[in-house]
Amino acid sequence: MAVRSAREVAYETIRGRIITMELKPGDELNDRELAQELGISRTPMREALIMLNIAHMVVIKPQSGTHVGQTIFAAI
């Protein structure tokens, strides 16, 4: 059985919450709070958010924060 990294767990958890609309388009994502909630450090959480940004599921704006993407649901 493969062991998943903290980054993978964070990625899959946030992705799942976006897909199920627990996190809605435009919702702010606080990496510190999310990391604490999942019991991981901020580094793997930031890495997961970068992966989600690459997948166009979140938008990262320096000095403004990270938000759930607005256009992801147009493609589903």
Side-chain angles (χ1 to χ4, degrees):
M1 186 157 122
V3 176
R4 296 186 306 163
S5 69
R7 179 188 66 213
E8 292 170 327
V9 170
Y11 175 85
E12 292 171 9
T13 300
I14 302 304
R15 182 180 182 276
R17 290 179 182 178
I18 291 170
I19 290 171
T20 61
M21 296 289 289
E22 184 179 337
L23 294 170
K24 297 179 179 20
D27 281 357
E28 184 173 1
L29 302 175
N30 182 307
D31 65 334
R32 182 175 289 136
E33 290 176 7
L34 290 168
Q36 184 176 17
E37 180 182 328
L38 295 177
I40 63 174
S41 69
R42 289 178 67 193
T43 298
M45 179 54 68
R46 285 191 211 117
E47 292 170 350
L49 292 173
I50 289 168
M51 290 171 56
L52 289 162
N53 180 267
I54 292 168
H56 303 287
M57 296 188 84
V58 303
V59 176
I60 300 172
K61 293 184 180 177
Q63 308 300 320
S64 297
T66 302
H67 297 83
V68 176
Q70 296 287 336
T71 58
I72 184 65
F73 297 98
I76 295 178

